[in-house]
Structures are given as C-alpha cells and as structure tokens.
Amino acid sequence: MLKTPTNMLFMIILISGTIISISSNSWFNAWIGLEINLLSMIPILSSTKNKYNTESALKYFLTQAIGSIILMTGCLLMALSSEINMTMHFSSPQLMMINSALLLKMGAAPFHFWFPVVMDGVSWLKAILLMTWQKLAPLMLFSHNITFNKFIMSIIVCSVTIGALGGLNQTSLRKIMTYSSINHTGWIIAAMMINEMYWMIYFTIYSLITTAIALMFNSSNTFHISQLFLHKMNDPLTKTTTFVSLLSLGGLPPFLGFLPKWMVIQGLSQNNCFLLITIMVMSTLITLFYYLRLMYSAMAINNLQPKWNLKNNFFQKNQAALFSLTLSLSGLMIVTMTNNLLS
Ligand SMILES: *[C@@H]1O[C@H](CO)[C@@H](O)[C@H](O)[C@H]1NC(C)=O
C-alpha cells in the first residue's frame, strides 16, 4: 500500500485530515478535516487497478459524501437557530442530525449497510485502515456530544445485535471482520457513555487486535473460510496464534481483548445500566459461535499436515504481526503484572 510515492502522499494527507478534525474546536473545522480525510482515502482505496477496488471506492465516496452533507446541514441549522447553545441541548434535532452523520461515517449499526460491501472489495491492508483509522475522527467528534439517552442506547443495541447476527452466515473473512467491527463500534460507544478515557483504551486495544489478525490473513492471502486450511496457514504455530487471536478479539478472559470488555461491563453496571449490559453480553455469546466455526473448519475438519511442507519462517518475515500477536495474546497478563508491581 505504501509502495508508491503518491500513496505515501495520500497517507500523509489522510492522517493530517484526521488530526485536523480531532483537534478542531468548531464543527466547521471538523467537517473540513473529515473532508480532507475522505478525499485522500478515495485514491488509496482505488490504487490497485481492478474493478472491485473501484467499486469499493465509489461506494465509499457516495456514502461518506452523504454523511458530510448531513453533517454540514446539521451544523448550519445549529448555527442558524441562535438561541441554541451547543453544549446545552443534547437532544435537539440538529444534534441528532450531526450524530447520525457521524454514525454513518463510522459505520455503526442502523447506518452500517455500506460497510460490508466496501470492505469486501479491498485488500487486507486497506481493510485495516477502514476498520481502525477511519473510525477515529467520527468517534472523537461523536464523543463530544454524547450522554445517556434513548437514541444512543438504541444505537448501541442495534450495533451489538447486528454485529452478532450479521456474521453468522458469512463465508468471507472480510465480512466477518466487518461485522465484528460494527459490534465493537457499539461497545466503543457504550464505553464513551461511561467516561472519556475508556473508549480510547477500548479503541486502541481493538485496533491492535484487529490489525494483528488482518496482517496474518494478509500474509497468507486468505479471504474465505474455505482457504483457511491452505498452504501457508498449515504451520501449526501460525494457525494456533491466528485463531487464538480471534478468541482475543472475541473477548475471552486470558487474552487482551477481555480487558476493554471488562471495563465496559463494570462501568455500565456502576451506572445502573443493567438491561443494556445484559443485552450486550448476551449478544457476545452468539458471536463466539462464529469465531469457533472458523477455528473448527481450520483445525478439526481440514487439518491436514503434509510431510513435505515447506520450511516456514513466517514470523521472521512478519515482525509487525508477531509483535501485535504477542501483545494480543499476553497483554492482559502483562497489564495485570505491571499493575501488581506498581501498587
Ligand atoms: C463484540 O464485542 C464483544 C466485547 O469485546 C466481544 O466479546 C464479542 O465477541 C464481539 N463480537 C464480535 C462479533 O466481534
């Protein structure tokens, strides 16, 4: 992705767009940042010349442009209605417009329909960008105007259930990762309701784990469940680390993915949101099923081990993957240990 100078330039513009928008102090500047970010994401998405990339880029452009239009309209309406103070009216229709636009941009549930379609046409590296970095600016802007209200609660419930149910019948790994991303967006918004810090921790850890898994799939060129048992994945160590990482993404206790989930569960219980957290945790159980299905087809049904397997020095060539995998698998233990040492 970074192979050509143009792409490097676009990456830099992409990053600065996000930085402009998260450090702005007016909605207009935030909109400018989002727009710069979008306009440099399009050439990155379509940088490989094939029809799938182009289709993805076009669909991404259309939905994000609609998001920008709605955001802009909301800001203008807010500026026009003079007596409305920006931080006072958390349930004003203008703010709801702005929020919906941001949710559309980050791909949270009732506005998520573009997300699996766009993801299905791009390479893993671009998918990493879409799942992590592109969510940063909308999430940050969204965190400015969030409170406990019914609108946001219903967004969370939608994201979490759609993330859980959407991945059930998929055979494309990119779509499964997309629905997982929608689900985690729901959890991030829930973390946002607790306080400012939690969602950033959640977002960082989620990005780390999802990057690790996508890098593994990328280096073995795997895009469908049926490819999971093929060539490069055949090395038992590679296979095991990849799938245990999926468990980490699913939030199973000994791994790092459990930490943010734990924080959210605890925070929401302390704020007496028992119904919400019950729904969220119950949807988690459904999602574990489809992670297990991936593992099952790769490790039990199709687990062939040819004697003439090529020597695989996978992790020597993939330091980034090795690093993030190690963190994702042993991170919770490291966090606990340092915590115990410090206190
Ligand atoms: C959704 O997020 C929760 C909390 O991290 C996790 O336990 C669950 O497995 C996730 N589901 C998917 C599909 O990623």
Side-chain angles (χ1 to χ4, degrees):
M1 200 167 63
L2 284 178
K3 297 253 166 62
T4 61
T6 22
N7 266 359
M8 248 150 112
L9 176 72
F10 286 131
M11 276 303 284
I12 293 171
I13 301 179
L14 182 94
I15 292 170
S16 38
T18 303
I19 291 175
I20 289 174
S21 106
I22 66 181
S23 55
S24 64
N25 58 0
S26 79
W27 284 108
F28 188 67
N29 279 341
W31 173 81
I32 292 178
L34 285 173
E35 212 68 353
I36 293 173
N37 173 276
L38 167 65
L39 289 185
S40 53
M41 188 64 189
I42 299 303
I44 291 180
L45 277 184
S46 58
S47 62
T48 325
K49 294 277 175 294
N50 66 42
K51 59 185 177 190
Y52 302 109
N53 274 320
T54 316
E55 186 187 331
S56 286
L58 185 62
K59 284 176 176 164
Y60 187 72
F61 174 71
L62 287 177
T63 44
Q64 299 290 313
I66 289 173
S68 299
I69 294 171
I70 299 174
L71 180 68
M72 197 58 178
T73 316
C75 300
L76 285 178
L77 287 181
M78 186 137 79
L80 285 178
S81 54
S82 52
E83 85 271 40
I84 286 194
N85 176 337
M86 204 169 132
T87 52
M88 292 301 284
H89 292 255
F90 275 116
S91 54
S92 69
Q94 290 92 335
L95 206 56
M96 206 143 133
M97 254 176 116
I98 294 179
N99 281 345
S100 308
L102 293 173
L103 290 166
L104 176 76
K105 276 179 170 291
M106 73 178 96
F111 315 102
H112 68 284
F113 290 94
W114 60 272
F115 201 13
V117 193
V118 170
M119 285 275 287
D120 217 27
V122 296
S123 71
W124 276 115
L125 293 181
K126 293 170 195 166
I128 294 178
L129 264 191
L130 281 176
M131 287 189 295
T132 60
W133 186 261
Q134 290 303 92
K135 282 186 195 269
L136 183 56
L139 277 172
M140 188 63 99
L141 294 177
F142 191 64
S143 76
H144 293 322
N145 39 31
I146 192 166
T147 41
F148 280 91
N149 65 26
K150 295 218 174 59
F151 175 65
I152 290 174
M153 298 237 191
S154 50
I155 298 285
I156 295 173
V157 171
C158 269
S159 301
V160 166
T161 46
I162 287 180
L165 298 179
L168 278 184
N169 224 2
Q170 302 295 343
T171 53
S172 153
L173 291 178
R174 278 171 300 188
K175 282 207 173 147
I176 290 180
M177 292 299 279
T178 316
Y179 281 105
S180 151
S181 179
I182 294 172
N183 161 59
H184 284 285
T185 311
W187 281 76
I188 289 175
I189 296 174
M192 226 176 242
M193 297 207 308
I194 304 167
N195 67 35
E196 271 284 297
M197 206 55 217
Y198 278 18
W199 79 266
M200 295 191 204
I201 298 176
Y202 197 120
F203 183 74
T204 316
I205 293 179
Y206 165 69
S207 308
L208 188 99
I209 301 173
T210 208
T211 307
I213 296 173
L215 282 180
M216 297 296 288
F217 286 148
N218 180 46
S219 48
S220 56
N221 262 322
T222 319
F223 292 102
H224 291 278
I225 290 189
S226 56
Q227 297 170 321
L228 277 177
F229 63 96
L230 290 178
H231 44 267
K232 282 189 200 140
M233 276 287 181
N234 236 341
D235 168 27
L237 182 66
T238 320
K239 226 178 205 177
T240 314
T241 39
T242 310
F243 291 112
V244 176
S245 256
L246 276 178
L247 291 186
S248 176
L249 190 64
L252 239 57
F255 310 119
L256 186 59
F258 181 60
L259 181 66
K261 187 179 172 188
W262 186 6
M263 293 183 335
V264 172
I265 294 176
Q266 187 170 345
L268 281 185
S269 323
Q270 280 164 355
N271 285 298
N272 287 322
C273 291
F274 293 115
L275 182 63
L276 183 64
I277 197 63
T278 309
I279 297 174
M280 290 164 73
V281 170
M282 290 202 319
S283 83
T284 292
L285 296 179
I286 305 176
T287 70
L288 272 183
F289 165 73
Y290 64 75
Y291 289 138
L292 285 180
R293 192 182 51 156
L294 293 188
M295 303 181 58
Y296 201 68
S297 69
M299 301 187 123
I301 300 176
N302 284 316
N303 193 10
L304 30 112
Q305 290 191 339
K307 288 214 166 84
W308 40 270
N309 209 357
L310 292 179
K311 253 244 159 58
N312 196 337
N313 54 354
F314 183 80
F315 283 120
Q316 272 144 36
K317 282 182 290 177
N318 289 276
Q319 262 102 17
L322 179 60
F323 176 69
S324 36
L325 279 176
T326 315
L327 272 188
S328 132
L329 296 189
S330 59
L332 188 59
M333 291 167 245
I334 295 176
V335 169
T336 324
M337 263 161 52
T338 43
N339 217 12
N340 284 339
L341 288 183
L342 293 182
S343 59

